[in-house]
Amino acid sequence: MNKEFFDVVVIGAGPSGAVASTLLAKRGYKVLVIEKQYFPRFSIGESLLPQCMTFLAQAGLVDSLHQHADSLAFQYKDGAAFHKNGQDTFFDFTEKFSDGPGTTYQVKRAAFDELLADGASKAGVEVRFGHQVVEVNVEPEQPELTITDEAGNNYHVKAKFLLDASGFARVLPKFLSLEKPSVFPVRHSYFTHVEDKISAADFDRNKILITVHPKHADIWYWLIPFSDGTASIGVVGRPEQFDAQATPEVILKDFIYQAPNLARLLGEANWANPVNTLQGYSADVTGLTGKNYALLGNAGEFLDPVFSSGITIALCSSALIAPQVDKYLQGEHVDFFEHFEKPLRAGVDCFKTFVSAWYEGGFQDVIFYQKQEKNVKSMISSILAGYAWDTANPYVAQSERRFKVLVDLCQ
Protein backbone atom coordinates (compact mmCIF):
# COMPACT_ATOMS: atom_id res chain seq x y z
CA MET A 1 0.00 0.00 0.00
CA ASN A 2 1.33 3.43 -0.94
CA LYS A 3 2.39 5.80 1.81
CA GLU A 4 1.86 9.55 1.96
CA PHE A 5 4.85 11.62 3.09
CA PHE A 6 4.80 14.74 5.24
CA ASP A 7 7.42 16.71 7.10
CA VAL A 8 5.29 16.70 10.26
CA VAL A 9 2.15 14.85 11.26
CA VAL A 10 0.14 16.23 14.19
CA ILE A 11 -2.43 14.08 15.99
CA GLY A 12 -5.29 16.34 17.09
CA ALA A 13 -6.63 19.69 15.82
CA GLY A 14 -7.28 21.28 19.23
CA PRO A 15 -5.44 24.42 20.39
CA SER A 16 -1.98 22.87 20.77
CA GLY A 17 -2.24 21.03 17.44
CA ALA A 18 -3.55 24.07 15.60
CA VAL A 19 -0.84 26.39 16.94
CA ALA A 20 2.06 23.94 16.47
CA SER A 21 0.98 23.05 12.94
CA THR A 22 0.51 26.71 12.02
CA LEU A 23 3.95 27.68 13.33
CA LEU A 24 5.55 24.88 11.29
CA ALA A 25 3.54 25.51 8.13
CA LYS A 26 4.59 29.16 8.25
CA ARG A 27 8.19 27.93 8.25
CA GLY A 28 7.48 26.21 4.94
CA TYR A 29 6.91 22.62 6.07
CA LYS A 30 4.31 20.19 4.73
CA VAL A 31 2.10 19.50 7.75
CA LEU A 32 -0.81 17.10 8.18
CA VAL A 33 -3.22 17.19 11.14
CA ILE A 34 -5.31 14.11 11.89
CA GLU A 35 -8.43 14.83 13.96
CA LYS A 36 -10.77 12.06 15.10
CA GLN A 37 -13.77 14.32 15.65
CA TYR A 38 -15.60 16.86 13.52
CA PHE A 39 -15.55 20.53 14.47
CA PRO A 40 -17.30 22.31 16.05
CA ARG A 41 -17.49 20.02 19.07
CA PHE A 42 -18.06 20.69 22.76
CA SER A 43 -15.11 20.92 25.12
CA ILE A 44 -14.28 22.52 28.45
CA GLY A 45 -11.26 24.62 29.35
CA GLU A 46 -13.08 27.81 28.40
CA SER A 47 -11.37 30.48 30.48
CA LEU A 48 -8.16 31.51 28.72
CA LEU A 49 -5.27 33.12 30.59
CA PRO A 50 -3.61 36.31 29.25
CA GLN A 51 -0.34 34.44 28.59
CA CYS A 52 -2.25 32.53 25.89
CA MET A 53 -2.48 35.69 23.82
CA THR A 54 1.30 35.82 23.45
CA PHE A 55 1.45 32.28 22.04
CA LEU A 56 -1.52 32.89 19.72
CA ALA A 57 0.17 36.06 18.47
CA GLN A 58 3.35 34.12 17.68
CA ALA A 59 1.29 31.86 15.40
CA GLY A 60 -0.51 34.81 13.80
CA LEU A 61 -3.86 33.66 15.19
CA VAL A 62 -4.64 36.39 17.73
CA ASP A 63 -6.05 38.94 15.24
CA SER A 64 -8.70 36.46 14.12
CA LEU A 65 -9.61 35.87 17.77
CA HIS A 66 -10.14 39.60 18.33
CA GLN A 67 -12.10 39.97 15.08
CA HIS A 68 -14.54 37.15 15.85
CA ALA A 69 -14.84 37.53 19.64
CA ASP A 70 -18.13 39.47 19.59
CA SER A 71 -19.87 37.31 16.98
CA LEU A 72 -18.86 34.11 18.80
CA ALA A 73 -19.96 35.41 22.24
CA PHE A 74 -16.45 35.31 23.67
CA GLN A 75 -16.35 37.31 26.89
CA TYR A 76 -13.61 39.87 27.58
CA LYS A 77 -11.66 38.72 30.66
CA ASP A 78 -9.39 40.77 32.90
CA GLY A 79 -9.04 38.67 36.04
CA ALA A 80 -10.29 36.03 38.45
CA ALA A 81 -12.74 36.39 41.34
CA PHE A 82 -12.92 34.06 44.34
CA HIS A 83 -15.63 33.39 46.93
CA LYS A 84 -15.47 31.42 50.16
CA ASN A 85 -18.00 31.39 52.99
CA GLY A 86 -19.31 34.90 52.34
CA GLN A 87 -15.89 36.41 51.62
CA ASP A 88 -15.06 37.79 48.18
CA THR A 89 -11.74 38.76 46.61
CA PHE A 90 -10.31 39.12 43.12
CA PHE A 91 -7.12 39.47 41.10
CA ASP A 92 -6.89 42.03 38.30
CA PHE A 93 -4.59 40.58 35.65
CA THR A 94 -3.72 44.04 34.35
CA GLU A 95 -2.04 44.65 37.73
CA LYS A 96 0.56 41.91 37.40
CA PHE A 97 4.31 41.64 37.84
CA SER A 98 5.14 40.16 34.42
CA ASP A 99 5.26 41.90 31.06
CA GLY A 100 2.74 40.82 28.45
CA PRO A 101 -1.02 40.98 27.85
CA GLY A 102 -3.21 41.41 30.92
CA THR A 103 -6.54 40.59 29.29
CA THR A 104 -7.94 37.73 27.26
CA TYR A 105 -11.28 35.99 26.64
CA GLN A 106 -13.59 33.39 28.07
CA VAL A 107 -14.40 31.28 25.02
CA LYS A 108 -16.88 28.70 23.91
CA ARG A 109 -14.44 25.98 23.00
CA ALA A 110 -16.45 24.60 20.09
CA ALA A 111 -16.14 27.93 18.31
CA PHE A 112 -12.63 28.75 19.59
CA ASP A 113 -11.10 25.44 18.51
CA GLU A 114 -12.77 25.68 15.09
CA LEU A 115 -11.43 29.23 14.71
CA LEU A 116 -7.86 28.08 15.39
CA ALA A 117 -8.18 25.03 13.13
CA ASP A 118 -9.46 27.30 10.33
CA GLY A 119 -6.46 29.53 10.92
CA ALA A 120 -4.15 26.54 10.58
CA SER A 121 -5.81 25.57 7.28
CA LYS A 122 -5.38 29.11 5.96
CA ALA A 123 -1.68 28.90 6.87
CA GLY A 124 -1.32 25.85 4.61
CA VAL A 125 -1.90 22.99 7.05
CA GLU A 126 -3.88 20.02 5.74
CA VAL A 127 -6.48 19.09 8.39
CA ARG A 128 -8.38 15.83 8.03
CA PHE A 129 -11.45 15.62 10.27
CA GLY A 130 -13.11 12.30 11.06
CA HIS A 131 -9.82 10.41 10.64
CA GLN A 132 -8.33 8.31 13.43
CA VAL A 133 -4.82 7.03 14.10
CA VAL A 134 -5.05 3.27 14.70
CA GLU A 135 -1.39 2.29 14.67
CA VAL A 136 1.91 4.09 15.28
CA ASN A 137 5.49 2.96 14.75
CA VAL A 138 8.22 5.33 15.95
CA GLU A 139 11.04 2.76 15.70
CA PRO A 140 12.07 3.72 12.14
CA GLU A 141 13.95 6.96 11.63
CA GLN A 142 10.71 8.42 10.27
CA PRO A 143 7.49 7.59 12.19
CA GLU A 144 4.83 5.59 10.36
CA LEU A 145 1.10 5.81 11.06
CA THR A 146 -1.90 3.77 10.00
CA ILE A 147 -5.01 5.94 9.81
CA THR A 148 -8.68 5.11 9.31
CA ASP A 149 -10.80 7.55 7.28
CA GLU A 150 -14.54 8.36 7.55
CA ALA A 151 -15.47 5.35 5.42
CA GLY A 152 -13.43 2.94 7.53
CA ASN A 153 -10.63 2.57 5.01
CA ASN A 154 -7.05 2.37 6.25
CA TYR A 155 -4.17 4.30 4.74
CA HIS A 156 -0.54 4.86 5.71
CA VAL A 157 1.37 8.06 6.38
CA LYS A 158 5.06 8.64 6.98
CA ALA A 159 6.51 11.75 8.62
CA LYS A 160 9.90 13.09 9.55
CA PHE A 161 8.50 14.12 12.95
CA LEU A 162 5.36 13.32 14.90
CA LEU A 163 3.52 15.55 17.37
CA ASP A 164 0.78 14.24 19.65
CA ALA A 165 -1.73 16.98 20.42
CA SER A 166 -4.59 14.54 21.06
CA GLY A 167 -5.51 15.93 24.48
CA PHE A 168 -7.29 13.56 26.85
CA ALA A 169 -7.27 10.86 24.13
CA ARG A 170 -3.49 10.61 24.80
CA VAL A 171 -2.82 8.64 21.63
CA LEU A 172 0.96 8.21 21.82
CA PRO A 173 1.12 7.62 25.59
CA LYS A 174 -1.28 4.71 25.10
CA PHE A 175 0.40 3.26 22.00
CA LEU A 176 3.92 3.66 23.44
CA SER A 177 3.09 2.81 27.10
CA LEU A 178 4.28 6.20 28.34
CA GLU A 179 1.52 6.79 30.88
CA LYS A 180 2.21 7.04 34.59
CA PRO A 181 -0.05 8.06 37.51
CA SER A 182 -0.49 11.74 38.27
CA VAL A 183 0.66 13.10 41.63
CA PHE A 184 -2.90 14.38 42.10
CA PRO A 185 -5.70 12.15 43.41
CA VAL A 186 -8.60 11.18 41.18
CA ARG A 187 -11.23 13.90 40.94
CA HIS A 188 -14.49 14.17 39.03
CA SER A 189 -16.11 17.20 37.46
CA TYR A 190 -19.72 17.82 36.44
CA PHE A 191 -20.45 20.75 34.12
CA THR A 192 -22.81 22.31 31.61
CA HIS A 193 -23.78 25.56 29.88
CA VAL A 194 -26.79 27.49 31.17
CA GLU A 195 -28.65 30.64 30.24
CA ASP A 196 -27.49 32.27 33.45
CA LYS A 197 -29.96 35.21 33.75
CA ILE A 198 -27.63 36.79 36.31
CA SER A 199 -28.87 40.28 37.24
CA ALA A 200 -26.85 40.85 40.42
CA ALA A 201 -25.01 44.18 40.25
CA ASP A 202 -22.06 42.76 42.20
CA PHE A 203 -21.28 40.09 39.58
CA ASP A 204 -18.37 40.93 37.25
CA ARG A 205 -18.76 39.15 33.91
CA ASN A 206 -15.18 40.11 33.01
CA LYS A 207 -13.81 37.56 35.48
CA ILE A 208 -14.07 33.85 36.06
CA LEU A 209 -15.66 33.18 39.47
CA ILE A 210 -14.17 30.35 41.53
CA THR A 211 -16.21 29.40 44.59
CA VAL A 212 -15.13 27.15 47.46
CA HIS A 213 -17.76 24.79 48.85
CA PRO A 214 -19.04 26.14 52.20
CA LYS A 215 -18.24 22.91 54.09
CA HIS A 216 -15.63 21.06 52.04
CA ALA A 217 -12.64 23.24 51.10
CA ASP A 218 -11.41 20.74 48.51
CA ILE A 219 -14.66 21.00 46.50
CA TRP A 220 -14.86 24.03 44.23
CA TYR A 221 -16.97 25.48 41.44
CA TRP A 222 -16.31 27.48 38.31
CA LEU A 223 -18.67 30.03 36.81
CA ILE A 224 -17.46 31.31 33.43
CA PRO A 225 -19.78 33.88 31.83
CA PHE A 226 -19.99 34.48 28.09
CA SER A 227 -21.11 37.68 26.40
CA ASP A 228 -24.45 36.30 25.16
CA GLY A 229 -25.95 35.76 28.63
CA THR A 230 -24.88 32.15 28.91
CA ALA A 231 -22.27 30.68 31.23
CA SER A 232 -20.27 27.54 31.83
CA ILE A 233 -20.72 26.15 35.34
CA GLY A 234 -19.10 23.13 36.95
CA VAL A 235 -18.16 21.48 40.22
CA VAL A 236 -14.99 19.51 41.02
CA GLY A 237 -14.48 17.03 43.85
CA ARG A 238 -13.29 13.56 44.77
CA PRO A 239 -15.51 10.70 43.51
CA GLU A 240 -16.62 9.67 47.00
CA GLN A 241 -18.01 13.18 47.56
CA PHE A 242 -20.66 12.62 44.87
CA ASP A 243 -23.67 10.30 44.90
CA ALA A 244 -22.77 7.59 42.39
CA GLN A 245 -26.44 6.64 42.05
CA ALA A 246 -27.60 10.13 41.04
CA THR A 247 -27.69 11.51 37.51
CA PRO A 248 -25.11 14.14 36.50
CA GLU A 249 -27.91 16.73 36.30
CA VAL A 250 -29.03 16.01 39.87
CA ILE A 251 -25.46 16.06 41.17
CA LEU A 252 -24.54 19.40 39.59
CA LYS A 253 -27.76 21.19 40.56
CA ASP A 254 -27.60 19.84 44.10
CA PHE A 255 -24.03 21.08 44.57
CA ILE A 256 -24.65 24.46 42.92
CA TYR A 257 -27.44 25.19 45.37
CA GLN A 258 -25.31 24.13 48.34
CA ALA A 259 -23.23 27.29 47.71
CA PRO A 260 -25.31 30.31 48.80
CA ASN A 261 -23.58 32.77 46.45
CA LEU A 262 -24.15 30.52 43.42
CA ALA A 263 -27.73 29.77 44.49
CA ARG A 264 -28.32 33.54 44.53
CA LEU A 265 -26.60 34.24 41.22
CA LEU A 266 -28.12 31.29 39.35
CA GLY A 267 -31.56 31.26 40.95
CA GLU A 268 -33.27 32.14 37.66
CA ALA A 269 -30.94 30.16 35.37
CA ASN A 270 -32.34 28.13 32.52
CA TRP A 271 -30.76 24.66 32.53
CA ALA A 272 -31.31 23.89 28.86
CA ASN A 273 -28.29 21.63 28.18
CA PRO A 274 -27.24 18.16 29.33
CA VAL A 275 -24.69 17.90 32.14
CA ASN A 276 -21.37 16.34 31.16
CA THR A 277 -18.79 14.58 33.33
CA LEU A 278 -15.03 14.19 33.23
CA GLN A 279 -13.50 11.66 35.58
CA GLY A 280 -9.93 10.94 36.60
CA TYR A 281 -8.59 13.65 34.27
CA SER A 282 -5.18 14.32 35.90
CA ALA A 283 -2.44 12.53 33.98
CA ASP A 284 1.32 12.31 33.51
CA VAL A 285 3.88 10.52 31.34
CA THR A 286 7.38 9.10 31.72
CA GLY A 287 8.70 11.58 29.16
CA LEU A 288 7.48 14.16 26.67
CA THR A 289 9.85 13.37 23.81
CA GLY A 290 11.50 10.61 21.83
CA LYS A 291 13.97 10.68 18.96
CA ASN A 292 11.27 11.61 16.43
CA TYR A 293 8.17 12.60 18.39
CA ALA A 294 6.93 14.93 21.14
CA LEU A 295 3.81 15.23 23.28
CA LEU A 296 1.97 18.54 23.49
CA GLY A 297 -0.52 19.87 26.02
CA ASN A 298 -2.84 17.41 27.73
CA ALA A 299 -1.35 14.50 25.78
CA GLY A 300 1.64 14.93 28.08
CA GLU A 301 0.62 16.15 31.52
CA PHE A 302 -2.67 17.58 32.75
CA LEU A 303 -2.81 18.97 36.27
CA ASP A 304 -6.25 20.21 37.26
CA PRO A 305 -8.76 22.76 35.94
CA VAL A 306 -8.73 24.97 39.05
CA PHE A 307 -6.59 27.80 37.61
CA SER A 308 -7.40 27.22 33.92
CA SER A 309 -3.78 26.37 33.16
CA GLY A 310 -4.50 23.62 30.61
CA ILE A 311 -4.68 25.66 27.40
CA THR A 312 -1.82 27.90 28.51
CA ILE A 313 0.43 24.86 29.00
CA ALA A 314 -0.78 23.43 25.69
CA LEU A 315 0.00 26.61 23.75
CA CYS A 316 3.36 27.02 25.48
CA SER A 317 4.25 23.47 24.48
CA SER A 318 3.45 24.34 20.85
CA ALA A 319 5.49 27.54 20.95
CA LEU A 320 8.47 25.70 22.46
CA ILE A 321 8.44 22.68 20.16
CA ALA A 322 8.06 24.42 16.78
CA PRO A 323 11.55 26.00 16.60
CA GLN A 324 13.14 22.75 17.82
CA VAL A 325 11.35 20.70 15.14
CA ASP A 326 12.43 23.32 12.61
CA LYS A 327 16.08 22.78 13.59
CA TYR A 328 15.62 18.99 13.56
CA LEU A 329 14.15 19.05 10.06
CA GLN A 330 17.08 21.15 8.88
CA GLY A 331 19.45 18.42 10.01
CA GLU A 332 20.68 20.03 13.21
CA HIS A 333 21.18 18.02 16.40
CA VAL A 334 18.44 18.90 18.86
CA ASP A 335 18.35 18.08 22.55
CA PHE A 336 14.57 17.95 22.93
CA PHE A 337 14.77 17.34 26.66
CA GLU A 338 16.95 20.39 27.30
CA HIS A 339 15.17 22.78 24.93
CA PHE A 340 11.57 21.55 25.09
CA GLU A 341 10.71 19.23 27.96
CA LYS A 342 12.81 20.90 30.67
CA PRO A 343 11.60 24.49 30.07
CA LEU A 344 8.00 23.35 29.60
CA ARG A 345 8.00 21.37 32.83
CA ALA A 346 9.48 24.34 34.71
CA GLY A 347 6.24 26.26 34.18
CA VAL A 348 4.10 23.18 34.74
CA ASP A 349 5.86 22.61 38.07
CA CYS A 350 5.13 26.20 39.07
CA PHE A 351 1.44 25.69 38.35
CA LYS A 352 1.65 22.37 40.20
CA THR A 353 2.88 24.14 43.35
CA PHE A 354 -0.16 26.40 43.35
CA VAL A 355 -2.66 23.66 42.47
CA SER A 356 -1.34 21.45 45.28
CA ALA A 357 -1.47 24.38 47.72
CA TRP A 358 -5.06 25.12 46.67
CA TYR A 359 -6.27 21.67 47.68
CA GLU A 360 -4.12 21.63 50.81
CA GLY A 361 -5.70 24.94 51.80
CA GLY A 362 -2.60 27.14 51.91
CA PHE A 363 -3.28 28.96 48.66
CA GLN A 364 -6.85 29.60 49.72
CA ASP A 365 -5.44 31.29 52.84
CA VAL A 366 -3.21 33.45 50.60
CA ILE A 367 -6.03 34.38 48.22
CA PHE A 368 -8.41 35.43 51.00
CA TYR A 369 -5.79 37.09 53.19
CA GLN A 370 -7.08 40.53 54.18
CA LYS A 371 -3.76 42.41 54.27
CA GLN A 372 -2.27 41.51 50.91
CA GLU A 373 0.96 43.33 50.08
CA LYS A 374 0.58 45.00 46.67
CA ASN A 375 3.86 43.81 45.14
CA VAL A 376 3.38 40.22 46.29
CA LYS A 377 -0.20 40.25 45.00
CA SER A 378 1.06 41.40 41.59
CA MET A 379 3.47 38.44 41.51
CA ILE A 380 0.69 35.98 42.39
CA SER A 381 -1.56 37.70 39.84
CA SER A 382 1.09 37.03 37.17
CA ILE A 383 1.01 33.30 37.84
CA LEU A 384 -2.79 33.24 37.85
CA ALA A 385 -2.59 35.10 34.51
CA GLY A 386 -0.47 32.26 33.11
CA TYR A 387 3.04 33.72 33.36
CA ALA A 388 4.46 30.62 35.03
CA TRP A 389 7.62 30.74 32.90
CA ASP A 390 8.67 34.25 33.97
CA THR A 391 11.67 33.44 36.15
CA ALA A 392 12.08 37.12 37.04
CA ASN A 393 9.08 36.51 39.31
CA PRO A 394 10.40 35.12 42.63
CA TYR A 395 7.27 32.98 43.01
CA VAL A 396 8.12 31.32 39.69
CA ALA A 397 11.87 30.99 40.14
CA GLN A 398 11.58 29.43 43.60
CA SER A 399 7.87 28.69 43.68
CA GLU A 400 7.71 25.97 46.31
CA ARG A 401 10.10 27.49 48.87
CA ARG A 402 8.86 31.06 48.60
CA PHE A 403 5.23 30.02 48.52
CA LYS A 404 5.57 28.06 51.76
CA VAL A 405 6.93 31.19 53.43
CA LEU A 406 4.01 33.21 52.06
CA VAL A 407 1.47 30.66 53.29
CA ASP A 408 3.01 30.74 56.78
CA LEU A 409 2.74 34.54 56.84
CA CYS A 410 -0.90 34.49 55.74
CA GLN A 411 -1.82 31.79 58.23
Side-chain angles (χ1 to χ4, degrees), residues 46 80 83 121 141 169 174 198 212 257-258 272 274 317 357 372 400:
E46 299 143 318
H83 180 94
S121 295
E141 193 64 29
K174 290 176 179 175
I198 296 173
V212 181
Y257 293 112
Q258 288 177 32
S317 70
Q372 294 176 345
E400 193 164 346

Side-chain angles (χ1 to χ4, degrees), residues 162-283:
L162 177 61
L163 294 173
D164 185 355
S166 62
F168 291 119
R170 300 169 64 75
V171 172
L172 282 188
K174 290 176 179 175
F175 277 126
L176 305 181
S177 300
L178 302 174
E179 294 183 295
K180 73 174 186 179
S182 170
V183 297
F184 294 112
V186 172
R187 290 189 175 91
H188 290 187
S189 63
Y190 297 83
F191 49 90
T192 191
H193 283 186
V194 298
E195 182 186 358
D196 61 70
K197 297 187 177 180
I198 296 173
S199 58
D202 60 341
F203 180 66
D204 186 353
R205 297 192 76 89
N206 294 341
K207 294 174 176 64
I208 182 176
L209 173 61
I210 295 175
T211 298
V212 181
H213 189 277
K215 294 183 180 178
H216 306 285
D218 62 335
I219 297 176
W220 63 275
Y221 311 81
W222 74 74
L223 173 54
I224 301 171
F226 304 114
S227 65
D228 62 355
T230 64
S232 172
I233 60 171
V235 63
V236 174
R238 288 176 283 111
E240 63 269 22
Q241 293 170 314
F242 301 114
D243 181 358
Q245 306 304 313
T247 65
E249 284 78 9
V250 168
I251 289 171
L252 181 56
K253 283 187 178 180
D254 177 54
F255 270 87
I256 290 294
Y257 293 112
Q258 288 177 32
N261 70 314
L262 295 178
R264 175 178 68 89
L265 291 172
L266 297 169
E268 302 299 321
N270 177 19
W271 295 66
N273 299 300
V275 173
N276 297 283
T277 66
L278 189 59
Q279 303 179 352
Y281 44 75
S282 296

Side-chain angles (χ1 to χ4, degrees), residues 43-358:
S43 181
I44 55 169
E46 299 143 318
S47 194
L48 303 184
L49 302 183
Q51 171 76 89
C52 292
M53 307 301 276
T54 302
F55 302 131
L56 292 172
Q58 289 174 13
L61 297 171
V62 78
D63 289 343
S64 178
L65 175 59
H66 290 315
Q67 290 164 10
H68 293 88
D70 288 344
S71 64
L72 297 176
F74 296 167
Q75 173 67 48
Y76 172 86
K77 175 186 175 183
D78 63 10
F82 297 86
H83 180 94
K84 183 177 183 179
N85 290 328
Q87 186 178 354
D88 291 287
T89 190
F90 70 91
F91 287 79
D92 184 337
F93 292 159
T94 66
E95 298 175 355
K96 57 178 174 50
F97 174 86
S98 304
D99 293 333
T103 64
T104 184
Y105 296 100
Q106 295 175 154
V107 299
K108 297 188 178 186
R109 282 289 302 279
F112 176 72
D113 290 12
E114 186 173 37
L115 187 70
L116 296 191
D118 286 347
S121 295
K122 290 173 182 175
V125 177
E126 181 176 350
V127 184
R128 297 179 184 173
F129 293 100
H131 290 217
Q132 182 177 358
V133 176
V134 294
E135 191 175 328
V136 175
N137 184 4
V138 296
E139 291 305 314
E141 193 64 29
Q142 298 186 345
E144 299 176 356
L145 299 89
T146 302
I147 300 167
T148 299
D149 65 17
E150 303 103 315
N153 301 310
N154 285 355
Y155 63 95
H156 299 282
V157 168
K158 200 169 184 178
K160 297 174 183 175
F161 203 87
L162 177 61
L163 294 173
D164 185 355
S166 62
F168 291 119
R170 300 169 64 75
V171 172
L172 282 188
K174 290 176 179 175
F175 277 126
L176 305 181
S177 300
L178 302 174
E179 294 183 295
K180 73 174 186 179
S182 170
V183 297
F184 294 112
V186 172
R187 290 189 175 91
H188 290 187
S189 63
Y190 297 83
F191 49 90
T192 191
H193 283 186
V194 298
E195 182 186 358
D196 61 70
K197 297 187 177 180
I198 296 173
S199 58
D202 60 341
F203 180 66
D204 186 353
R205 297 192 76 89
N206 294 341
K207 294 174 176 64
I208 182 176
L209 173 61
I210 295 175
T211 298
V212 181
H213 189 277
K215 294 183 180 178
H216 306 285
D218 62 335
I219 297 176
W220 63 275
Y221 311 81
W222 74 74
L223 173 54
I224 301 171
F226 304 114
S227 65
D228 62 355
T230 64
S232 172
I233 60 171
V235 63
V236 174
R238 288 176 283 111
E240 63 269 22
Q241 293 170 314
F242 301 114
D243 181 358
Q245 306 304 313
T247 65
E249 284 78 9
V250 168
I251 289 171
L252 181 56
K253 283 187 178 180
D254 177 54
F255 270 87
I256 290 294
Y257 293 112
Q258 288 177 32
N261 70 314
L262 295 178
R264 175 178 68 89
L265 291 172
L266 297 169
E268 302 299 321
N270 177 19
W271 295 66
N273 299 300
V275 173
N276 297 283
T277 66
L278 189 59
Q279 303 179 352
Y281 44 75
S282 296
D284 201 355
V285 288
T286 55
L288 296 176
T289 61
K291 70 178 188 295
N292 50 21
Y293 70 85
L295 311 179
L296 306 181
N298 295 352
E301 182 172 9
F302 181 74
L303 302 177
D304 189 273
V306 66
F307 301 125
S308 306
S309 62
I311 292 185
T312 307
I313 292 170
L315 298 187
C316 182
S317 70
S318 300
L320 284 171
I321 198 65
Q324 303 308 318
V325 173
D326 182 21
K327 291 177 183 177
Y328 176 86
L329 294 177
Q330 292 187 50
E332 296 183 34
H333 171 73
V334 177
D335 186 336
F336 285 103
F337 177 81
E338 189 66 28
H339 297 291
F340 168 67
E341 181 162 353
K342 188 176 176 181
L344 180 64
R345 285 197 183 273
V348 173
D349 288 345
C350 176
F351 279 127
K352 192 178 294 183
T353 296
F354 286 79
V355 171
S356 298
W358 170 267

Side-chain angles (χ1 to χ4, degrees), residues 84 361-370 372 407 410-411:
K84 183 177 183 179
F363 195 25
Q364 294 184 27
D365 293 333
V366 170
I367 285 172
F368 291 100
Y369 187 59
Q370 293 297 300
Q372 294 176 345
V407 169
C410 293
Q411 291 177 335

